[in-house]
């Protein structure tokens, strides 16, 4: 027996209703909602906004989830196999669960055909945190066209205007490292920079230079550059340590804990002692910092809290709020241990 329509039941919004309300053709509305076709970003956003307003739900055969139905947030990182990504994931996962969302871990592949924005669109994520990634304009456009909000966490380059980004006080952290090395009696100074020279590395270096000028006017620091790996840092620092004169104490500010571990290896290879001959300050305060011998003095950036702040901003946006379009800045703190 065929089902009897309930005249009191609310009628489901149709694609034609969406098209009419958005002022576009049915074909254009369909292409906008399915992420297909060459449409203006404003048109896609308008169609998506109208679809949410009228409660339009796409048929499963179209592919992807209905608009607004997925309680998912995506975390996109370049890798998930180091201490930094573990901290980011832990902070983001806890905040997402507290807000009633599941967290999807998406890895950015360094290939031209990486389609992570399309995959995020298809599963109907409510928002995306991009960690340590500088997204391209087409990638951002693909998410914006689907009205999926984005928050950048610690972007490698200056963020495009209007995007919300979460980072720490890199400049103040570098400044505090310089003051601490001067206070602890360093007679020479060096800054170990990571290559490529990302935004946060440049800012930490600038803060260290300023702090050194303030704490010890007329002094300067030798700049040593290495790839963001301990093995590369070790090779770059060895010549500097071999050049130390008797009685000198070299204060090294490494722009990450990973680079600082390379200074330890260089000290071992050259017979220099930490902290007698070499004082070392890192940046991050990852788990491995306290396992080094001696334990590493470092600038702590609140990685878990930064990830949680990014997720909270997305959850607020999904609930109808607006992203700030500006920076969310959490403070650093110098953690003093035995390396100084």
């Amino acid at each position: 027996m065929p089902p009897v329509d309930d005249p009191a039941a609310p009628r489901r919004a149709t694609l034609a209703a969406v098209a009419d309300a958005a002022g576009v053709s049915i074909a254009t509305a369909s292409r906008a909602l399915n992420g297909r076709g060459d449409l203006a970003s404003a048109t896609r956003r308008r169609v998506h906004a109208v679809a949410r307003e009228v409660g339009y739900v796409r048929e499963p055969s179209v592919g992807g989830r209905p608009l607004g139905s997925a309680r998912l947030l995506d975390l996109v990182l370049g890798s998930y196999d180091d201490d930094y990504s573990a901290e980011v994931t832990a902070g983001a996962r806890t905040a997402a669960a507290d807000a009633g969302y599941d967290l999807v871990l998406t890895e950015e592949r360094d290939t031209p055909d990486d389609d992570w924005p399309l995959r995020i669109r298809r599963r109907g994520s409510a928002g995306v945190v991009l960690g340590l990634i500088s997204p391209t304009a087409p990638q951002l456009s693909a998410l914006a066209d689907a009205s999926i909000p984005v928050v950048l966490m610690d972007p490698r380059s200056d963020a495009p205007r209007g995007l919300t980004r979460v980072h720490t006080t890199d400049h103040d952290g570098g400044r505090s490292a310089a003051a601490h090395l001067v206070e602890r009696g360093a007679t020479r100074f060096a800054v170990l920079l990571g290559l490529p020279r990302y935004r946060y590395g440049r800012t930490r270096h600038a803060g260290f230079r300023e702090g050194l000028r303030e704490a010890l006017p007329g002094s300067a620091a030798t700049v040593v550059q290495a790839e963001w790996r301990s093995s590369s840092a070790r090779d770059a620092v060895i010549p500097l340590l071999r050049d130390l004169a008797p009685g000198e104490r070299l204060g090294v500010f490494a722009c990450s804990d990973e680079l600082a571990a390379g200074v330890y290896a260089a000290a071992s290879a050259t017979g220099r002692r930490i902290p007698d001959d070499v004082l070392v300050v890192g940046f991050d305060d990852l788990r491995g910092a306290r396992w080094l011998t001696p334990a590493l003095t470092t600038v702590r950036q609140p990685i878990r809290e930064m990830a949680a702040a990014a997720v909270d901003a997305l959850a607020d946006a999904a609930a109808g709020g607006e992203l700030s379009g500006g920076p969310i800045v959490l403070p650093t703190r110098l953690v003093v241990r035995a390396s100084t």
Side-chain angles (χ1 to χ4, degrees), residues 42-85:
T43 301
R44 288 190 191 277
R45 286 194 293 270
R46 185 169 74 253
V47 171
H48 277 265
V50 167
R52 282 194 296 269
E53 290 173 5
V54 303
Y56 174 73
V57 178
R58 286 176 287 173
E59 295 293 339
S61 60
V62 172
R65 293 180 177 271
L67 286 171
S69 67
R71 298 289 294 182
L72 301 175
L73 294 171
D74 268 81
L75 171 63
V76 183
L77 293 173
S79 68
Y80 286 88
D81 57 0
D82 55 30
D83 287 345
Y84 180 89
S85 61

Side-chain angles (χ1 to χ4, degrees), residues 91-267:
R93 183 179 61 241
T94 299
D98 289 345
Y101 286 86
D102 291 325
L103 186 70
V104 179
L105 304 185
T106 301
E107 185 168 347
E108 181 192 43
R109 299 189 298 267
D110 191 19
T111 59
D113 61 345
D114 187 9
D115 64 346
W116 61 262
L118 181 57
R119 286 182 276 130
I120 288 173
R121 286 175 54 160
R122 283 175 174 165
R123 57 179 164 258
S125 290
V128 184
V129 176
L130 301 180
L132 289 181
I133 288 176
S134 297
T136 65
Q139 288 171 337
L140 290 174
S141 179
L143 297 172
D145 289 349
S147 299
I148 298 176
V150 174
V151 172
L152 305 181
M153 179 181 164
D154 226 4
R156 289 175 170 172
S157 58
D158 292 331
R161 182 173 298 178
L163 278 183
T164 300
R165 63 262 188 209
V166 180
H167 60 83
T168 193
T169 51
D170 294 291
H171 187 277
D172 289 349
R175 194 162 167 252
S176 67
H180 180 70
L181 287 172
V182 170
E183 177 191 352
R184 291 304 169 100
T187 58
R188 287 180 60 184
F189 303 91
V191 180
L192 181 54
L193 300 179
L195 292 175
R197 296 187 66 176
Y198 295 130
R199 174 202 57 79
Y200 39 81
R202 298 193 307 269
T203 307
R204 293 166 192 174
H205 180 206
F208 185 86
R209 290 198 313 266
E210 180 178 306
L212 192 57
R213 286 195 304 267
E214 292 172 347
L216 198 63
S219 59
T222 301
V223 176
V224 181
Q225 301 186 85
E227 295 179 13
W228 294 90
R229 302 194 314 270
S230 60
S231 58
S232 178
R234 171 191 178 276
D235 295 343
V237 171
I238 281 177
L240 184 64
L241 298 190
R242 284 178 176 161
D243 189 46
L244 279 181
E248 284 189 317
R249 298 186 77 202
L250 177 67
V252 180
F253 172 50
C255 285
S256 76
D257 290 351
E258 177 77 9
L259 295 176
V263 179
Y264 277 62

